[in-house]
Amino acid sequence: MTTQNPSEPAEQTQDVYPPSSEFSTNAVARPSLYEEAAADRLKFWELRARLLNWSKPFTEVLDYSNAPFARWFADGRLNACYNAVDRHIESGHGDQVALFAEYEDGADASYTYAQVKDEVSRMANALQDLGVTTGDRVAIYLPMIPEAVFAMLACARIGAPHSVVFGGFSADALRSRIDDAGAVAVITADGQFRRGKALPLKPAVDDALDGSQGTVKNVLVVKRTGGDVAWTDGRDHWWHELREDASTEHEPVAVDAEHPLFILYTSGTTGKPKGIVHTTGGYLTQAAYTHRNVFDLKPSSDVYWCTADIGWITGHTYVVYGPMVNRTTQVIYEGTPDTPHQGRWWEVIQKYGVTTFYSSPTAIRTAMKWGEDIPAKFDLSSLRLLGTVGESINPEAWRWYRRVIGGDRCPIVDTWWQTETGAIMISPLPGVTPLKPGSAQVPLPGISADVLDDNGEAVQPDEPGFLVLTDPWPAMLRGIWGDDQRFIDTYWSRFENRYFAGDGAKKDADGDVWVTGRVDDVMNVSGHRLSTSEIESALVSHPWVAEAAVVGAADETTGQSVVAFVILRSDALGDVEAEGGEENAVQVLRAHVGQEIGPIAKPKKVLLVTELPKTRSGKIMRRLLRDVAENREVGDTQTLADSSVMDLIQRGLAGK
Ligand code: WTA
């Protein structure tokens, strides 16, 4: 794996926002949590784990004898869905609303915990009737509708690990994930609403299964948009039809704490996405603990809204598992922030009286761009806590978020974590930590993190280094599906015995962590991880392309944007000319990436060049291409095999 030097830290500010005494007095988190965890870390986690319901209580907290493969609470047994749903009914809260579902067109629905239990039980019965059993993998390819939540919980209820694939991914991306996990069933919908339009979803599943390895025997289809869909008899089943006959009685299957709860694919430094494996007991423990303390959860009065799609880890941990294990009332929203108008999110907050809002820096910057008079039209006074995740938030956006959305009264939690960490790792505790805009600040009680230099030594204050996690944590990934060696190589080889996160960071004089961004070939576009080499492979798979190099260029709104440098094959130039020349070729290649991976991976720019800058050993120097993409003076070209290449590239681009 290649690692670049960590870049310069984000802008630093002197502002500190201490908690208000009103917030602190009623806060869930207490300063004593830090002391408690420092005194006995394992005891600390043991007590958090005992807040779950175990069908067989565990006796051992952590087994790390086979490091880096950790086992937490391993001799205990439990069911994730029981913990997220049934136990709230048993404690007398069946009538509490679990989900307020807001559809893009303004229609809505709500489900109490008792109703969620019925829906999930029906789906679990239907899946079992189709032959899905404990340990089978099930792919979920759905929009943000309540059935997506039910599908995940139904899988958890029978101990069938789910693999949720974001609804914006292409058929090819879906196929490779289905094949890698060996999924036996897919849960999808006929279509989804996006920006007022009904877009088909089922055809992508048909396409994916056509040419797949054939492990999928059944496809469960939720009717959302209506209209015609192609149908494979015996394989495809309408959910509303199976639902009618499915019983609302279902016994959750207790599994070992280390039983896989889900696989979630994420981009890595090579072309092939990694299937990150999370298990049951440790994951749920940390999901619930972080959700309760970081979001200051008051289950009986809060209305919580996390805007993430269930296709991402944030949707797993902070829409489904953390909130529901904690008996949260939450909003889920199907659509985009600007449909039918740019105040849609703020309208949703007003409609449901949302108290706690968790979103991303890129969304905040977009709202800033649209202007503060838009949120000003809505009553946001119900809000009491704000959060962000996905990338560092620039202090200017942080202050805007606090003032315009949070009315200068809501603390903001900037939460650092990853698909691999499963749950929040570094974040202020609201009511406890004085807040610094732009910094994720401190490891949560129970979590150990550090910033190291190249040699594995702790860095001096304000010096750039690499973010590492120094002790195993309950929600840590247990591996990469089917590839233990890649797990070790990716995370445990850069520094001995420490987890390498792939992020650059520094610590300031107070010990607060400032994350500076990825130091590997992973880009972060609108808070979504994209791999440079995955997009390069997609480009090279087009018959016109000889070579491609992709970089993430700084972008005001999306954090980074994808810029591709492409060399066309000389024997394809005739075709390119015949089909509308270079301008058309750029559009064709963008669309091709959309087809291969999904619209989110489409390069913002495709630059056609005749050369790529390479070292003598043939490695592409992306650093120099990034300079070009960001309109900077090109840096040191001494290590290039041919130092005139950069001139050639720039002259070529200037001439277009
Ligand atoms: C970045 C998302 C700075 C980081 C939960 C990490 C952040 C990657 C923050 C994981 C933050 C996430 N400050 N950077 N608060 N949160 N990141 O797997 O580069 O989609 O490695 O998980 O997002 O992205 P992933």
Side-chain angles (χ1 to χ4, degrees):
M1 178 178 24
T2 55
T3 52
Q4 299 142 18
N5 286 326
S7 51
E8 278 305 299
E11 173 203 345
Q12 262 218 47
T13 53
Q14 295 307 312
D15 341 345
V16 177
Y17 296 74
S20 73
S21 59
E22 192 196 336
F23 198 101
S24 295
T25 311
N26 300 309
V28 170
R30 299 271 140 208
S32 58
L33 284 177
Y34 293 104
E35 292 144 37
E36 187 192 338
D40 189 342
R41 211 175 73 87
L42 294 184
K43 185 76 195 165
F44 177 85
W45 284 119
E46 179 193 335
L47 294 178
R48 270 59 215 173
R50 298 229 187 270
L51 298 174
L52 298 172
N53 281 61
W54 296 80
S55 58
K56 175 176 177 261
F58 59 89
T59 59
E60 186 182 37
V61 177
L62 170 66
D63 173 5
Y64 206 42
S65 56
N66 184 30
F69 297 90
R71 292 166 60 78
W72 285 86
F73 321 117
D75 63 344
R77 287 173 76 78
L78 75 170
N79 180 274
C81 181
Y82 175 83
N83 274 280
V85 182
D86 304 47
R87 67 169 179 161
H88 306 318
I89 299 158
E90 287 166 20
S91 68
H93 297 94
D95 292 339
Q96 180 178 328
V97 171
L99 299 175
F100 285 118
E102 175 78 10
Y103 295 98
E104 198 183 66
D105 61 4
D108 56 31
S110 72
Y111 294 85
T112 63
Y113 274 95
Q115 289 169 323
V116 170
K117 177 170 174 278
D118 287 352
E119 292 304 314
V120 171
S121 298
R122 284 192 176 108
M123 207 181 276
N125 280 319
L127 288 171
Q128 281 181 322
D129 288 347
L130 293 172
V132 178
T133 59
T134 308
D136 283 345
R137 276 81 60 206
V138 176
I140 296 176
Y141 188 63
L142 281 169
M144 269 312 273
I145 53 178
E147 287 82 356
V149 176
F150 305 154
M152 290 168 72
L153 291 171
C155 290
R157 199 166 179 91
I158 57 184
H162 52 71
S163 165
V164 181
V165 179
F166 174 56
F169 276 128
S170 69
D172 286 348
L174 176 60
R175 183 188 306 116
S176 66
R177 285 159 175 79
I178 286 174
D179 282 344
D180 188 77
V184 302
V186 182
I187 308 176
T188 189
D190 54 349
Q192 59 181 333
F193 287 104
R194 258 349 246 173
R195 301 211 145 82
K197 277 199 290 229
L199 304 177
L201 207 54
K202 168 87 169 28
V205 176
D206 294 333
D207 215 7
L209 295 183
D210 200 15
S212 75
Q213 288 164 9
T215 50
V216 171
K217 302 295 178 227
N218 292 287
V219 177
L220 202 55
V221 188
V222 175
K223 193 179 214 117
R224 172 67 190 119
T225 50
D228 290 341
V229 282
W231 208 252
T232 304
D233 283 328
R235 185 197 72 182
D236 298 348
H237 316 272
W238 281 115
W239 164 236
H240 61 268
E241 289 176 4
L242 297 193
R243 182 180 173 277
E244 268 178 36
D245 297 327
S247 162
T248 55
E249 293 301 316
H250 183 274
E251 190 60 35
V253 177
V255 295
D256 287 344
E258 284 297 332
H259 184 77
L261 178 61
F262 64 85
I263 305 169
L264 183 59
Y265 287 84
T266 186
S267 297
T269 54
T270 68
K272 191 171 179 275
K274 302 178 282 199
I276 303 299
V277 179
H278 283 289
T279 59
T280 308
Y283 171 81
L284 283 189
T285 298
Q286 194 177 331
Y289 154 72
T290 53
H291 179 259
R292 190 180 315 116
N293 286 283
V294 174
F295 297 106
D296 192 53
L297 181 73
K298 312 279 164 52
S300 301
S301 55
D302 275 333
V303 179
Y304 164 92
W305 183 22
C306 165
T307 60
D309 189 280
I310 53 136
W312 313 111
I313 190 68
T314 308
H316 283 58
T317 312
Y318 298 107
V319 177
V320 180
Y321 293 108
M324 296 193 74
V325 166
N326 288 335
R327 186 170 50 87
T328 305
T329 295
Q330 68 176 318
V331 175
I332 58 170
Y333 171 56
E334 175 188 39
T336 51
D338 54 353
T339 308
H341 57 80
Q342 293 178 332
R344 191 69 174 102
W345 276 8
W346 321 124
E347 183 179 64
V348 171
I349 291 177
Q350 172 179 285
K351 174 170 174 180
Y352 294 100
V354 169
T355 59
T356 316
F357 180 69
Y358 189 30
S359 193
S360 65
T362 189
I364 303 311
R365 287 193 298 264
T366 304
M368 265 173 90
K369 207 168 62 184
W370 291 341
E372 63 181 84
D373 47 326
I374 293 176
K377 291 185 200 136
F378 299 91
D379 179 4
L380 305 179
S381 62
S382 57
L383 287 170
R384 62 180 199 87
L385 178 65
L386 304 173
T388 71
V389 60
E391 58 178 306
S392 299
I393 182 162
N394 44 312
E396 191 197 349
W398 193 101
R399 285 188 219 103
W400 188 91
Y401 194 22
R402 180 181 157 90
R403 178 175 60 81
V404 178
I405 306 303
D408 276 327
R409 70 184 178 274
C410 304
I412 299 176
V413 287
D414 176 352
T415 62
W416 179 90
W417 59 295
Q418 307 178 299
T419 306
E420 293 88 339
T421 68
I424 297 171
M425 302 294 281
I426 304 179
S427 165
L429 282 178
V432 175
T433 317
L435 304 173
K436 282 186 193 169
S439 168
Q441 301 197 268
V442 270
L444 289 178
I447 299 299
S448 326
D450 209 347
V451 180
L452 305 181
D453 67 16
D454 246 334
N455 303 318
E457 306 289 335
V459 294
Q460 295 298 310
D462 297 328
E463 291 293 319
F466 301 100
L467 183 59
V468 298
L469 302 167
T470 51
D471 285 306
W473 62 101
M476 73 195 286
L477 75 163
R478 299 304 197 262
I480 295 175
W481 183 258
D483 201 344
D484 285 349
Q485 194 55 45
R486 189 173 178 196
F487 170 62
I488 293 168
D489 292 346
T490 308
Y491 307 106
W492 304 95
S493 304
R494 183 70 178 74
F495 300 106
E496 206 179 330
N497 294 330
R498 279 159 296 187
Y499 171 91
F500 173 64
D503 278 333
K506 60 171 205 122
K507 268 187 185 178
D508 66 18
D510 301 329
D512 285 318
V513 175
W514 298 72
V515 177
T516 53
R518 301 290 305 190
V519 291
D520 53 14
D521 295 331
V522 173
M523 294 169 289
N524 188 330
V525 179
S526 299
H528 299 148
R529 277 164 71 166
L530 295 171
S531 142
T532 51
S533 52
E534 198 180 351
I535 299 176
E536 286 165 4
S537 310
L539 285 164
V540 177
S541 75
H542 191 279
W544 291 349
V545 175
E547 264 195 275
V550 165
V551 298
D555 185 288
E556 267 199 3
T557 309
T558 57
Q560 284 188 310
S561 67
V562 180
V563 178
F565 294 79
V566 170
I567 305 180
L568 295 175
R569 290 168 60 137
S570 48
D571 59 2
L573 294 179
D575 290 349
V576 169
E577 227 24 74
E579 288 188 38
E582 292 199 348
E583 228 167 88
N584 179 61
V586 164
Q587 294 316 322
V588 168
L589 295 178
R590 291 186 65 239
H592 179 69
V593 173
Q595 196 75 40
E596 291 282 308
I597 305 175
I600 50 165
K602 270 190 197 173
K604 185 168 181 188
K605 279 192 202 156
V606 175
L607 304 172
L608 300 178
V609 294
T610 50
E611 298 280 350
L612 289 172
K614 289 181 187 159
T615 61
R616 269 171 277 271
S617 60
K619 200 173 142 12
I620 294 172
M621 293 190 69
R622 290 202 179 76
R623 168 172 67 79
L624 299 177
L625 293 175
R626 209 172 295 123
D627 289 342
V628 175
E630 294 176 352
N631 297 318
R632 247 197 322 268
E633 199 171 318
V634 172
D636 187 0
T637 56
Q638 277 183 27
T639 48
L640 281 182
D642 173 358
S643 59
S644 68
V645 163
M646 289 314 294
D647 280 346
L648 205 68
I649 291 175
Q650 285 184 297
R651 254 185 289 130
L653 293 176
K656 281 176 188 159

